[in-house]
Amino acid sequence: ELQPRKLVHALNAEPALKVKDANNERLLQLRLQTTTMSSFAELQNCIRRWPGTACAVAAVGLAGVGRNVQLVAPYREAYGTKDALVARTRPKSNGGVGPLHTFKVETFTTAVVIEPVIERLLKYQPESSVMLELQTPAECPEFAKSAVAFDTEVGLAERFCGALAALAPATADCGATASCLFAKELMSRHPKAADMQVAGCKVLSNWLSHCQQRLSTQQCCAAMEAITAAMRRHNSNSAVQEAGAAAMSGTAGWPELQAAAATNGAVEEVVGAMRRFEGDSELLASGCGALAGLAANHPLNQSSIMACRSIEVIVDAMKRFSKHARLQTMAFGALGNLAANNPNNQAAIVQADGLQRVKVALQQHQTRPVVLTAALAALWCLLKRHSGNTDLAGQLGLAELAMLALRRHPDDRGLKSMASGALKCLVPGLAEALAGQASSTPSSVRQGPGPDSVRS
C-alpha cells in the first residue's frame, strides 16, 4: 500500500538529504517537515494557500476508486470547478514529463503536505578541495507574507473555538458533530498555531462525547489524528499537551475512537508528555484521564499502555501530588481500567506500589468522596480473581479503610457500590450483609457497573 508519509520518512532517513541549487553551485541540506491531510477538504485548503506550488504528496486512484493507487503531486485546483485538484504524476520511462492528473474526493486516499527546511548550505571549493559551510539563507519574504496574511484568520479561528469550547451541549442533537468537525478542520488548517491547537482540542474535549452515534470511523480517525498531530508538533508546549490529553479522556466506551487513537500513536504522545512535564499537576491529571479512557474495556490499548512503561509514570505522579484530588481520581481511573480483567496488569500495578497508593488515598482524602470512590473502584479491579493481591490488601488494612469510607459517606451510592465490590473480595460475606442491610432502608444502593471498567 502506497503511503505518502512513508515516502517522506524514507527521504528523511537518509544520512543527509542534499540537493543542488538552480546554478549547480551550492548544496542545500534539507529536512522535510510533514503535516498529514486526512481529508480531501484539508488538502484543498492547503493548495488554495499556495496555488501553483507542488507542496504535497497524495495517494490517489488513477484508474478509479482504489484502482492503480499512485503517488502524485497536487499543485492547483481544476479550472472551472472547486471539487477537483490537478496533480503532476511520475515522469515517463523515457524521461519525459508525466501527464497531469485531475482527481476528486472519491479517488483520494491520503496526503501529506511537505515543508522543506534548509538545515545547512554548503559550497565546494575545487582549488582547496574543501566543502565550505555558508550562512543559511533567510526565509523568503513572499513566504513570510503568506504566513502573516493568515495571522488574522488564525486569531479569528482561535477565538471562535474558544467560544465554542465554553458552550455546554444541552443534547446530542445540538450541533456537536458539526462543531467537532469544524474544530478539527481549523486545527489541520493552522497546525503551527499552538493557541489554535489548544482551542481546537478544548472543543473536542467538551463536545466529542456527544458525537458517538454520528461520527464515521474515518471521521474518528481524523479527529484523533488532529489531536495527536498537535501534541507531536508542539511537544514542548505544556498547554497543547494538556489540552490534547484532556480531549482523549472521552474515548472510554467508544471502540472506534480508542482504536483510532492507538493507530495514531496517542498512547506514546500522552506518556511522553507526562514524562516531559512531570512537575505539572494539571497536565499529569489530564494525562491519567486520557490513559483511563484509552484503556477502558480495550485489551489492545491496555497492552500498548503497559508497553510504554506507563505504570511508573502514573504512580510517580500520584506520589508527587498525593493531595491533588483530580490527579488522584484520574490516576485511579487509569490504574483500574488497566487492571480490569487482566491478571498480568493486576500483578504489575501492585508490584509498582499500586495498593499502597490506594491506602494513602483512603487515608488522606477521607472528606473527598470522589477520590475515595475512584480509589475503591481501582481496588476492586486490582483484587478481582487475584488471590495474591487480595492477601496483600488484607495485610495493608484496606478492608478497614474501605469500611471507614462507608461510615463517613453513608449516602453516596457510587462509593457504596465500589466499596461493596472491593469488600466482597477482601471479606467474603460482608458485602452481601451490607447490601441486605441497605436494601431495607430508603437509601438502598443500586449495584454499580462492576470492575470491568472504571469511569474517570
Side-chain angles (χ1 to χ4, degrees):
E1 182 182 2
L2 289 175
Q3 291 289 340
R5 183 181 286 275
K6 290 182 180 179
L7 172 63
V8 176
H9 284 176
L11 292 172
N12 280 333
E14 295 297 320
L17 176 60
K18 296 185 179 72
V19 296
K20 292 182 179 180
D21 65 2
N23 296 325
N24 202 27
E25 295 178 349
R26 296 175 297 178
L27 280 177
L28 288 79
Q29 182 173 319
L30 305 178
R31 175 173 49 84
L32 303 180
Q33 293 183 345
T34 62
T35 303
T36 300
M37 301 285 105
S38 56
S39 71
F40 184 78
E42 292 176 24
L43 180 59
Q44 277 183 307
N45 288 334
C46 176
I47 298 303
R48 287 168 184 163
R49 183 174 180 180
W50 292 298
T53 302
C55 59
V57 178
V60 301
L62 298 186
V65 180
R67 299 173 56 192
N68 190 21
V69 177
Q70 299 291 332
L71 298 181
V72 299
Y75 69 99
R76 66 172 173 83
E77 291 186 284
Y79 298 134
T81 178
K82 293 184 177 180
D83 61 353
L85 295 175
V86 178
R88 297 187 174 94
T89 59
R90 67 174 62 184
K92 295 179 180 180
S93 58
N94 60 7
V97 178
L100 297 180
H101 178 71
T102 301
F103 66 97
K104 298 184 178 182
V105 63
E106 291 80 10
T107 57
F108 171 81
T109 302
T110 183
V112 294
V113 173
I114 301 174
E115 185 178 328
V117 177
I118 300 176
E119 293 190 322
R120 299 175 68 193
L121 184 62
L122 306 170
K123 184 176 181 179
Y124 181 69
Q125 292 281 40
E127 297 84 3
S128 56
S129 298
V130 174
M131 186 71 76
L132 299 178
E133 184 161 353
L134 308 179
Q135 183 176 356
T136 303
E139 188 178 66
C140 172
E142 183 180 5
F143 184 85
K145 287 180 180 178
S146 72
V148 172
F150 273 74
D151 283 349
T152 302
E153 182 181 344
V154 172
L156 182 61
E158 177 193 337
R159 288 168 57 195
F160 177 79
C161 283
L164 196 60
L167 298 175
T171 66
D173 297 314
C174 59
T177 302
S179 300
C180 288
L181 293 177
F182 187 58
K184 182 269 300 179
E185 187 77 20
L186 291 175
M187 291 172 68
S188 300
R189 187 175 177 84
H190 307 291
K192 294 184 178 180
D195 291 342
M196 176 64 244
Q197 302 302 306
V198 172
C201 284
K202 287 182 178 179
V203 173
L204 295 175
S205 177
N206 291 355
W207 291 75
L208 198 56
S209 61
H210 297 264
C211 308
Q212 186 166 358
Q213 303 303 321
R214 292 167 176 78
L215 284 185
S216 67
T217 301
Q218 183 179 4
Q219 290 170 331
C220 289
C221 289
M224 273 298 127
E225 186 167 358
I227 296 169
T228 53
M231 296 181 71
R232 194 176 296 116
R233 177 179 280 272
H234 301 279
N235 59 10
S236 61
N237 188 311
S238 61
V240 174
Q241 301 301 302
E242 180 184 347
M248 295 181 194
S249 62
T251 58
W254 194 340
E256 293 82 5
L257 205 59
Q258 290 172 307
T263 301
N264 284 284
V267 171
E268 293 80 1
E269 293 302 323
V270 171
V271 176
M274 294 175 69
R275 285 198 174 100
R276 289 192 300 275
F277 298 96
E278 60 183 12
D280 189 328
S281 59
E282 293 302 323
L283 187 151
L284 293 172
S286 295
C288 288
L291 296 178
L294 293 171
N297 295 318
H298 201 289
L300 182 60
N301 281 358
Q302 283 182 322
S303 300
S304 299
I305 294 171
M306 293 296 289
C308 290
R309 299 176 63 185
S310 60
I311 297 303
E312 62 183 43
V313 178
I314 296 171
V315 172
D316 181 68
M318 298 176 78
K319 291 179 179 178
R320 284 175 178 270
F321 302 98
S322 61
K323 296 183 179 180
H324 193 294
R326 177 171 171 261
L327 188 152
Q328 296 295 316
T329 301
M330 296 297 180
F332 281 125
L335 294 181
N337 287 349
L338 287 169
N341 302 315
N342 193 313
N344 291 334
N345 289 359
Q346 287 176 306
I349 293 170
V350 169
Q351 189 174 4
D353 290 342
L355 288 178
Q356 283 81 354
R357 291 298 97 205
V358 173
K359 180 177 181 179
V360 170
L362 293 177
Q363 291 173 330
Q364 292 189 350
H365 296 273
Q366 296 180 13
T367 61
R368 295 188 175 99
V370 173
V371 180
L372 296 176
T373 301
L376 291 169
L379 177 61
W380 188 3
C381 292
L382 289 168
L383 302 186
K384 187 179 180 182
R385 293 190 292 270
H386 201 294
S387 58
N389 287 358
T390 303
D391 292 341
L392 180 57
Q395 297 171 17
L396 291 172
L398 295 184
E400 291 80 1
L401 289 172
M403 290 296 299
L404 177 60
L406 275 174
R407 286 196 295 269
R408 283 184 171 273
H409 306 279
D411 298 324
D412 192 305
R413 294 189 176 188
L415 189 151
K416 281 185 178 180
S417 178
M418 297 301 111
S420 176
L423 288 169
K424 185 177 181 179
C425 301
L426 286 166
V427 187
L430 178 59
E432 288 78 0
L434 289 172
Q437 180 182 5
S439 64
S440 63
T441 66
S443 58
S444 59
V445 178
R446 183 175 63 183
Q447 185 65 24
D452 292 338
S453 68
V454 179
R455 295 187 65 86
S456 59

